[in-house]
Amino acid sequence: MRLLLIEDDASLREGIRTALKSEGYTLDSLSDGLQAVHALQHEVFDLVLLDLGLPGLDGLSVLKTLRADGKATPVLILTARDAVTDRITGLDSGADDYLIKPFEITELKARIRALLRRSAGRANSQLDLGILRLDVNSQSVFFQEAPVSLTRREFALLHELAHQPGHVFTRDHLQQLLYGWDDDVESNALEVHVHHLRKKLFPGLIRTLRGVGYALDKDARP
Amino acid sequence: MRLLLIEDDASLREGIRTALKSEGYTLDSLSDGLQAVHALQHEVFDLVLLDLGLPGLDGLSVLKTLRADGKATPVLILTARDAVTDRITGLDSGADDYLIKPFEITELKARIRALLRRSAGRANSQLDLGILRLDVNSQSVFFQEAPVSLTRREFALLHELAHQPGHVFTRDHLQQLLYGWDDDVESNALEVHVHHLRKKLFPGLIRTLRGVGYALDKDARP
DNA sequence: GCGCAACCTTAAGCCAATATTAAGCGGCCC
DNA sequence: GGGCCGCTTAATATTGGCTTAAGGTTGCGC
């Protein structure tokens, strides 16, 4: 899961970063509204954390632009202003939830989980692919009804692929999913994770598209 | 067990808090109806204590919203108004029980126990996992028929895990169970409790899912 | 078939997550 | 008010995942 945080207070940014990292999310952050609009137009995120009081272009405008572009990405507003009108404006402009600063990190985490669950298309957080079953809440995987223990990265990767079996995900897309922009992954880490998944499940599960990326083979059998 | 108290009288809130703390419950409290609706939509509680006379959004509306969202969480109404119509409206709106102020704390405790027992769907408050047996009323645990003395936190933790052996509970979930929102647990308290449980019972009982949480291993033996 | 590029496999070191241990604090019972 | 018990915190140890790099293998164009 890849989140974008738009917040100009550097220390708050760092706090949120460390908190969310431990949850297994990939977090990219920006401090400026214009950059945010640009990023949202050119990259794909699963959820946006948006501060309303931004320098440059303010948060509400970022939100409105996002919606005007037809994106349904869930947006969680963070605001120091607790005036009712602000919340309402935010929600009317297409935000999905709001949180008033200062807030508890555990509450932030809970809200994020709720939004992601909701946007995943409803209550049960299970992904059933016949032979394979993923449970997002507990990050657990069942293969032929037997539990398989995956690490966080492995799970994140499988989860993305499982979202649309058969669809080809480019290497670039998957690398961004796992690492965001921060790191310049000049290594084959992605390939290693793919390897581990094939080993823990079965080799044919993930198909390689040479020079392009990977896809889950929905009809593959062990 | 995590309870939510919605009550605008601060002193009553504090009284209930200390009383229930000693019973081993985790209590979060709010004084405002709107906040309550929000909390109930985004978090999970085992029981709600609801004052009918609230500022902002009144208690009945909170209750109706909760039920409209399809939640079956037990609700115990606290009200100063003892008019028969009020009670009836409350029960009709989906409350499970009511208590008229002023009430005895012991009575509150008894009602809470009864509601929780009822909602757990079993008459007797014993949880039998073969090798392990928990008695919720007396907060006692038997391991291979021998009594084991657990502290409140240890019991609460084990109880939650025992609710669904094999199911993975996230660290976050367990921390909220033990501490609610109040404390900023920036420590490894949860891990320490897990450690103590493993020591008093046996190491294999609780399985660690790195980066995710813990689960009771139902087939584990000492 | 040859050679290159893309990808796979393996293993080792580093680092973060969790376990362990111990000490200090605070409430509660006598 | 003193002592005990449980809870939290902190410091240290250990485990296990992540990354990296090196060498092997496969597929593809010529």
Side-chain angles (χ1 to χ4, degrees), chain B residues 44 47-48 58 75 95 112 116 136 148 164 189:
Chain B
V44 178
L47 187 143
V48 178
D58 79 294
V75 174
I112 288 174
L116 288 175
V136 181
V148 179
Q164 225 183 312

Side-chain angles (χ1 to χ4, degrees), chain B:
Chain B
M1 284 293 171
R2 192 175 175 214
L3 317 189
L4 178 64
L5 169 63
I6 306 157
E7 165 63 59
D8 61 319
D9 177 345
S11 72
L12 183 54
R13 226 162 44 221
E14 271 322 293
I16 293 179
R17 164 175 307 284
T18 49
L20 294 187
K21 193 175 159 193
S22 73
E23 295 291 296
Y25 301 122
T26 299
L27 185 73
D28 287 319
S29 56
L30 293 172
S31 56
D32 168 279
L34 268 173
Q35 288 173 16
V37 165
H38 201 272
L40 286 166
Q41 282 175 337
H42 292 88
E43 316 246 354
V44 178
F45 298 90
D46 295 294
L47 187 143
V48 178
L49 302 172
L50 179 62
D51 181 15
L52 280 193
L54 287 175
L57 192 67
D58 79 294
L60 270 184
S61 306
V62 174
L63 175 56
K64 284 176 184 161
T65 309
L66 177 71
R67 295 305 182 217
D69 287 343
K71 307 270 178 71
T73 317
V75 174
L76 174 53
I77 284 181
L78 312 175
T79 175
R81 297 175 275 174
D82 61 351
V84 176
T85 53
D86 263 17
R87 297 184 214 166
I88 292 178
T89 316
L91 294 174
D92 277 349
S93 304
D96 298 272
D97 200 356
Y98 61 88
L99 212 46
I100 296 164
K101 302 185 198 174
F103 48 80
E104 292 289 321
I105 282 293
T106 51
E107 172 144 30
L108 176 63
K109 289 180 187 174
R111 298 276 175 104
I112 288 174
R113 271 197 305 277
L115 280 182
L116 288 175
R117 208 178 312 131
R118 208 200 296 170
S119 88
R122 59 188 113 69
N124 76 350
S125 50
Q126 295 231 335
L127 243 161
D128 198 333
L129 316 187
I131 202 172
L132 213 64
R133 205 172 77 243
L134 314 204
D135 187 296
V136 181
N137 278 344
S138 62
Q139 304 256 119
S140 53
V141 177
F142 295 83
F143 171 51
Q144 291 175 330
E145 303 310 319
V148 179
S149 102
L150 297 187
T151 68
R152 275 194 301 123
R153 295 259 135 116
E154 287 161 10
F155 186 86
L157 186 51
L158 181 62
H159 183 229
E160 183 72 6
L161 292 173
H163 241 264
Q164 225 183 312
H167 181 255
V168 179
F169 295 84
T170 63
R171 294 173 66 86
D172 235 45
H173 177 89
L174 296 173
Q175 292 216 354
Q176 288 212 341
L177 172 84
L178 293 179
Y179 305 105
W181 305 320
D182 300 341
D183 310 88
D184 235 345
V185 187
E186 287 302 327
S187 91
N188 60 351
L190 174 61
E191 291 159 23
V192 174
H193 293 308
V194 168
H195 174 60
H196 288 151
L197 278 174
R198 284 174 173 154
K199 211 163 161 187
K200 289 184 178 178
L201 302 165
F202 61 98
L205 180 67
I206 297 173
R207 206 151 31 92
T208 302
L209 281 105
R210 212 156 236 263
V212 185
Y214 297 92
L216 216 65
D217 196 337
K218 52 190 163 193
D219 304 316
R221 303 278 111 176

Side-chain angles (χ1 to χ4, degrees), chain A residues 4-71:
Chain A
L4 178 63
L5 168 64
I6 306 158
E7 164 64 58
D8 60 318
D9 176 345
S11 72
L12 183 54
R13 226 161 45 222
E14 271 322 293
I16 292 178
R17 163 174 306 286
T18 49
L20 295 188
K21 194 176 158 192
S22 73
E23 295 291 294
Y25 301 123
T26 300
L27 184 73
D28 288 321
S29 56
L30 293 172
S31 56
D32 168 280
L34 271 173
Q35 287 173 19
V37 166
H38 194 268
L40 287 167
Q41 282 175 337
H42 292 86
E43 317 247 351
V44 177
F45 297 89
D46 295 294
L47 186 143
V48 179
L49 302 172
L50 180 61
D51 181 15
L52 280 194
L54 286 177
L57 193 65
D58 78 296
L60 270 184
S61 306
V62 174
L63 175 56
K64 284 176 183 160
T65 309
L66 177 72
R67 295 305 181 217
D69 287 344
K71 305 272 179 70

Side-chain angles (χ1 to χ4, degrees), chain A residues 83-190:
Chain A
V84 176
T85 53
D86 263 18
R87 298 183 211 167
I88 292 177
T89 316
L91 294 174
D92 278 349
S93 304
D96 298 272
D97 199 358
Y98 61 88
L99 210 46
I100 297 163
K101 300 185 202 174
F103 49 79
E104 293 289 322
I105 282 291
T106 52
E107 173 143 31
L108 176 63
K109 290 181 186 173
R111 299 275 175 101
I112 288 175
R113 272 198 305 277
L115 280 183
L116 288 176
R117 208 178 311 130
R118 213 198 294 169
S119 87
R122 279 281 45 96
N124 84 345
S125 52
Q126 294 231 335
L127 242 162
D128 200 333
L129 315 187
I131 202 172
L132 213 63
R133 204 172 80 244
L134 314 206
D135 186 299
V136 181
N137 277 343
S138 62
Q139 306 253 314
S140 51
V141 176
F142 295 82
F143 170 51
Q144 291 175 330
E145 302 310 317
V148 180
S149 101
L150 297 187
T151 68
R152 271 191 299 138
R153 294 260 136 113
E154 287 161 9
F155 186 87
L157 186 51
L158 180 63
H159 184 227
E160 183 72 6
L161 292 173
H163 243 265
Q164 225 183 310
H167 179 254
V168 180
F169 294 84
T170 64
R171 294 172 67 88
D172 242 41
H173 176 88
L174 296 173
Q175 294 217 353
Q176 287 213 339
L177 172 84
L178 294 180
Y179 306 105
W181 303 321
D182 299 341
D183 312 271
D184 243 341
V185 187
E186 287 301 327
S187 93
N188 59 351
L190 174 61

